[in-house]
Amino acid sequence: AAVRLTLTAGSGGRGLDRPLAPALRLFATAAASPKPTTPARLVLSQVRRNDGSPASRLKSLAYLDNVLARREALAAGADEAVMLNTRGELACCGAANLYWISEGRLWTPALDCGVLAGIVRGVLMAGAQAAGIEVAVARTGPEALARAEAILISNSLIGVRQVSSFGERTLAPHALAERLADLI
């Protein structure tokens, strides 16, 4: 199941100003969340991630860009959308962190590319390093995915998921990607 806790400052009335004395509200929801059993299909989204916004590094309810990117991916017959930031660098997917394998290393976009520092991202990177796999962060464009030996995505609901295609490019299962998925 997927459990989501939401903490708000309460109703703020009309406008953008928050009340001086917030009335905090905490609520929880739960829903079934089966893990996907097949590799993901990715497309490059036209929606950009605002790497300059403080909200890009926070798990918040301000998720419209990601919702639009995911909708674009689903309309194209894919499972997930790769989002670039405002500088044209890889950032993330609509609802997942992004990784690729190249030169025997696990690569992921740098946090200042507008990346949410996900829990699974941290666990995967630490686990890879502990297993002797070199981990590197990058500020690069989508050409890195075009050259990658394998592509992976992760979040707390899917764990680590291999990618079978990026746009028109087909990717074969990769031993190191399978090993990394087993770390979570």
Side-chain angles (χ1 to χ4, degrees):
V3 176
R4 178 167 72 182
L5 298 176
T6 303
L7 176 64
T8 76
S11 296
R14 185 161 159 53
L16 298 177
D17 295 330
R18 303 301 306 151
L20 294 176
L24 299 181
R25 292 185 185 159
L26 176 66
F27 59 94
T29 59
S33 182
K35 242 180 168 177
T37 58
T38 59
R41 297 161 298 162
L42 304 181
V43 294
L44 186 62
S45 177
Q46 297 302 306
V47 179
R48 296 294 176 111
R49 183 113 169 130
N50 183 356
D51 49 288
S53 169
S56 71
R57 291 174 216 30
L58 299 172
K59 186 82 172 200
S60 74
L61 298 178
Y63 223 49
L64 181 60
D65 291 343
N66 301 66
V67 169
L68 294 173
R70 267 299 270 275
R71 182 177 290 170
E72 182 183 358
L74 295 174
D79 302 300
E80 188 55 272
V82 173
M83 297 178 73
L84 304 178
N85 64 21
T86 59
R87 297 183 306 256
E89 301 164 330
L90 292 170
C92 58
C93 290
N97 285 109
L98 177 66
Y99 316 85
W100 62 96
I101 296 172
S102 184
E103 302 166 0
R105 292 183 186 107
L106 176 66
W107 295 84
T108 191
L111 290 176
D112 65 2
C113 290
V115 175
L116 179 67
I119 293 169
V120 174
R121 180 182 186 271
V123 170
L124 178 62
M125 292 170 70
Q129 288 174 329
I133 300 165
E134 188 176 344
V135 177
V137 296
R139 289 169 195 80
T140 186
E143 65 277 359
L145 299 182
R147 295 187 309 262
E149 299 163 29
I151 303 170
L152 303 105
I153 61 174
S154 77
N155 69 33
S156 59
L157 297 178
I158 65 171
V160 176
R161 188 175 180 194
Q162 260 193 88
V163 171
S164 62
S165 65
F166 174 55
E168 299 298 317
R169 181 172 181 227
T170 301
L171 295 131
H174 192 278
L176 182 53
E178 291 171 6
R179 187 173 158 208
L180 288 163
D182 289 340
L183 293 175
I184 304 299

